[in-house]
């Protein structure tokens, strides 16, 4: 188990990663699903052990939410360098820059595709941001024949 962003991931079970979050069990979903070379992470917020962290601070909530997502990706055997797509959802237009700053700190060297969306609200009104992260790693090529054209 690894601790990141105030969150501890509990286990990986086959093609599913579970963080132990209360909503995963209650609503019947996994934190992440491993599908071939893909790791698809469910929406992550700054809720850790059932409590919303960093109330009122979109930047720190973003770092925590990204930490939860990256922890799941690492449990699945990939790293932040394998992240190819990020989606983030904010409840206020003023939060874009704070989420963007957190994103740049974590993924500036990776440069994944990224979409930011303003939403009416999240499951808890204290939550300011939710993130989704997808990672991809091609299986290592054991033998290949390269054909070059003219």
């Amino acid at each position: 188990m690894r601790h990141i962003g105030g969150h501890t991931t509990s286990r990986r079970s086959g093609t599913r990663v579970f963080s132990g979050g209360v909503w995963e069990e209650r609503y019947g979903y996994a934190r992440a699903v491993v599908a071939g070379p893909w790791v698809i992470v469910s929406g992550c917020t700054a809720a850790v052990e059932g409590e919303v962290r960093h109330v009122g601070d979109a930047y720190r909530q973003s770092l925590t939410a990204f930490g939860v997502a990256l922890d799941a990706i690492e449990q699945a055997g990939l790293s932040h360098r394998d992240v190819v797509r990020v989606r983030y959802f904010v409840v206020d237009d003023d939060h874009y820059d704070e989420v963007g700053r957190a994103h740049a700190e974590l993924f500036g060297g990776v440069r994944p595709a990224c979409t930011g969306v303003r939403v009416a609200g999240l499951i808890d009104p204290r939550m300011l941001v939710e993130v989704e992260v997808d990672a991809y790693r091609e299986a290592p090529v054991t033998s290949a024949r390269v054909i070059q054209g003219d």
Side-chain angles (χ1 to χ4, degrees):
M1 291 200 318
R2 187 169 168 271
H3 189 73
I4 186 168
H7 177 273
T8 304
T9 295
S10 58
R11 69 188 184 354
R12 177 174 175 198
S13 176
T15 60
R16 304 290 190 260
V17 176
F18 300 93
S19 71
V22 296
W23 290 304
E24 290 171 28
E25 184 65 31
R26 185 180 304 161
Y27 298 145
Y29 70 92
R31 172 61 43 217
V33 174
V34 180
W38 289 92
V39 177
I40 303 160
V41 182
S42 297
C44 300
T45 65
V48 177
E49 297 174 3
E51 292 297 319
V52 177
R53 303 288 168 92
H54 316 298
V55 174
D57 187 335
Y59 169 73
R60 291 177 63 202
Q61 281 197 10
S62 299
L63 289 176
T64 300
F66 281 128
V68 171
L70 289 171
D71 196 26
I73 287 169
E74 289 178 9
Q75 288 292 318
L78 278 68
S79 79
H80 79 285
R81 300 205 70 65
D82 298 307
V83 171
V84 295
R85 182 184 318 171
V86 172
R87 291 175 212 86
Y88 62 88
F89 308 90
V90 298
V91 297
D92 190 305
D93 290 338
D94 292 338
H95 299 151
Y96 282 111
D97 284 341
E98 295 302 301
V99 178
R101 180 166 60 111
H103 183 275
E105 286 177 17
L106 296 168
F107 302 108
V110 178
R111 301 287 181 124
C114 182
T115 301
V117 178
R118 184 180 183 280
V119 295
L122 299 171
I123 196 165
D124 185 307
R126 297 171 298 168
M127 295 174 179
L128 304 176
V129 62
E130 184 162 347
V131 303
E132 294 178 349
V133 178
D134 298 333
Y136 178 86
R137 181 184 295 163
E138 290 187 46
V141 177
T142 55
S143 64
R145 192 174 113 210
V146 178
I147 301 173
Q148 294 182 333
D150 293 324

